[in-house]
Structures are given as C-alpha cells and as structure tokens.
Amino acid sequence: MNLILLGPPGSGKGTQAKMIAQHLGIPQVSTGDMLRAAVKEGTPMGLKAKAMMDAGALVPDEVVVGIVRERLQKDDCVNGFILDGFPRTVAQADALQSNLADLGKSINMVISLEVDNEAVVERISGRRTCPDCGRMYHVQFDPPESADTCGECGSALIQRDDDREATVRKRLDVYAQQTAPLVEYYNNAGLLKSIDGMQAIQTVQAEILQALGC
Ligand code: ADP
Ligand code: AMP
C-alpha cells in the first residue's frame, strides 16, 4: 500500500503515520523528519534548509524530490510506504508520479486530514517532540506520562523552533497557497479520501484504518 497523508501542519499526519506504519508494517517517510535529521547532522543541505524551515517557508522542490526519490528505493519500501509532509506543491506531486512510474509503482490512496486553522495553532503550540526517536506529544491532548520526558526512549522533549505561533501562522499561509491545491489534484485523480481530523486521535485512526480496509 503506497499512501500519502495530506493536511495542514498540525493536522495529525505524523501521529497517524506512525500508527499506520506499525499496523501495516510499512515505513513512514516524513520529509520534515529527514530535513531535521540533516540539520542535526550539519550536512550542507541541512544548513541551507534550516533558515527556510525556521522561517516557515518550504525548502526547494528539487531538494525534497531528490531526498524522497532516494528514500523510496530503499528495501523497506518494497511493500509500501506512507508519505507524510510530501508532496507539498503540485511540482512535487508531478515529480513523485514520474519517479514512482520509473520504479513501476503508483500511489494507491491519499488521505486528507481536515482540521481548522485555530485547532492547528492550538495543537502545534502544545506539541512537544522527542529529538531522538521523533515521537510527538501534546501537553494537553496526548501528554507524556512523565513531564517533558519521552515515554518511548527517555530523552528530554523539546519544542520545535518552527512551532511558535507566528511561524505557525506563516506555515498555514504557505499551506493554503502551495499545498491545498493538492486536495483537488488528488481528488481529480480519484485517489482522495477525506477524514475529519478534528476528532480524537483514536477516532481518526479508526476511520483511516477503515478507509484502508484494515
Ligand atoms: P503534523 O505531522 O500534521 O504536523 P502532528 O501529528 O505532529 O501533526 O500533530 C500535531 C500536534 O497535535 C501533536 O502535538 C499531536 O500530539 C497533536 N494531535 C495530533 N492529532 C490530534 C488529534 N486528533 N486531536 C488532538 N491533538 C492531536
Ligand atoms: P513538517 O515536519 O512536515 O511540518 O515540516 C517542517 C518543515 O520542513 C516545513 O515547514 C518546510 O520548511 C520543510 N519541509 C518538509 N517537507 C517539505 C516538502 N515536502 N517541501 C518543502 N519543504 C518541506
């Protein structure tokens, strides 16, 4: 199963992708996580991407298209993958389609998580992230058992630099202008399944699994 999770920042893509990945035994492919790993390692690409990410802007299409093309060729993607945060522009979606065709693959379903802007701001400003294993929490909606500590690996949780309110509002503008057109793009392709992302985490998960026929 080759899936895309589409939705504004904070709509729950990462939270749901991790659960589906475990359920289906296929990897989550998050461009945000891969870019943050490059920033952490201090690679030349990471150094260039950091300024754009901190400003809430998108990094150039060719950078993310290249990272995803390499990632999808890895052995663990042979039975499927869940794209989280990619594609984010029509150019990325076109490039993905052509790169998948080269590999003899295609996208089976695009799940669009629908959440309103004020909920996004509330979710993102309360998001805490584990810098080591990537698990996300929310101070109110999905709190860690022990304050500020990751329940999976014990690391100290952080707030991402781009999760402050002013940057979140900028990211929402970028989403509306550059990414939202993909809803129609994939609807026209007959691949779109919309899910009400305003519901509780477990309810959203159940609806996604039902849509996938699991
Ligand atoms: P995205 O990957 O789309 O940016 P995340 O999965 O990181 O979004 O979720 C953003 C924040 O909202 C996290 O702190 C997460 O714990 C919380 N969250 C995710 N889904 C829900 C939900 N259905 N209801 C309430 N909070 C949620
Ligand atoms: P995310 O973790 O998905 O919220 O992404 C964090 C940031 O990484 C975004 O605000 C962008 O700056 C960058 N990013 C992640 N995925 C992409 C993408 N597909 N295209 C361009 N920039 C991206």
Side-chain angles (χ1 to χ4, degrees):
M1 180 68 84
N2 303 331
L3 290 178
I4 293 175
L5 283 187
L6 191 61
S11 56
K13 300 182 300 296
T15 302
Q16 298 298 333
K18 285 181 172 55
M19 292 177 178
I20 308 167
Q22 257 190 342
H23 198 90
L24 296 183
I26 55 177
Q28 169 196 15
V29 175
S30 157
T31 40
D33 285 351
M34 290 190 279
L35 289 166
R36 279 184 290 279
V39 170
K40 204 169 164 188
E41 279 167 34
T43 66
M45 182 193 68
L47 294 176
K48 262 201 260 171
K50 182 167 173 30
M52 290 173 253
M53 293 169 77
D54 285 351
L58 295 184
V59 308
D61 287 337
E62 60 274 17
V63 173
V64 280
V65 166
I67 304 178
V68 172
R69 187 176 48 222
E70 271 186 37
R71 180 68 186 85
L72 296 185
Q73 290 179 51
K74 298 253 158 64
D75 289 347
D76 63 339
C77 292
V78 71
N79 292 322
F81 49 80
I82 305 157
L83 286 168
D84 158 14
F86 179 93
R88 261 173 153 103
T89 64
V90 169
Q92 291 178 19
D94 287 339
L96 173 67
Q97 191 180 7
S98 127
N99 288 332
L100 286 177
D102 290 346
L103 299 171
K105 296 183 181 189
S106 59
I107 294 297
N108 302 111
M109 195 183 288
V110 177
I111 291 170
S112 170
L113 295 177
E114 296 181 353
V115 175
D116 67 48
N117 281 4
E118 289 317 306
V120 158
V121 173
E122 191 185 19
R123 283 186 189 183
I124 296 194
S125 36
R127 172 162 60 189
R128 298 294 179 269
T129 308
C130 175
D132 291 317
C133 75
R135 166 81 157 89
M136 276 97 50
Y137 298 86
H138 189 280
V139 288
Q140 186 186 345
F141 305 129
D142 187 15
E145 267 178 35
S146 151
D148 298 330
T149 305
C150 179
E152 310 270 328
C153 73
S155 297
L157 300 176
I158 57 157
Q159 182 174 31
R160 277 166 47 179
D161 288 342
D162 59 345
D163 276 357
R164 296 169 209 279
E165 186 168 339
T167 315
V168 173
R169 297 218 179 259
K170 161 84 177 140
R171 288 163 65 197
L172 281 170
D173 285 346
V174 169
Y175 177 82
Q177 282 164 25
Q178 303 198 55
T179 310
L182 291 179
V183 172
E184 200 185 334
Y185 178 104
Y186 285 118
N187 193 29
N188 291 342
L191 293 172
L192 195 76
K193 173 73 193 163
S194 295
I195 303 260
D196 176 6
M198 296 290 288
Q199 307 174 95
I201 292 174
Q202 297 303 334
T203 312
V204 175
Q205 184 193 11
E207 290 200 4
I208 292 177
L209 292 177
Q210 193 182 22
L212 295 173
C214 303

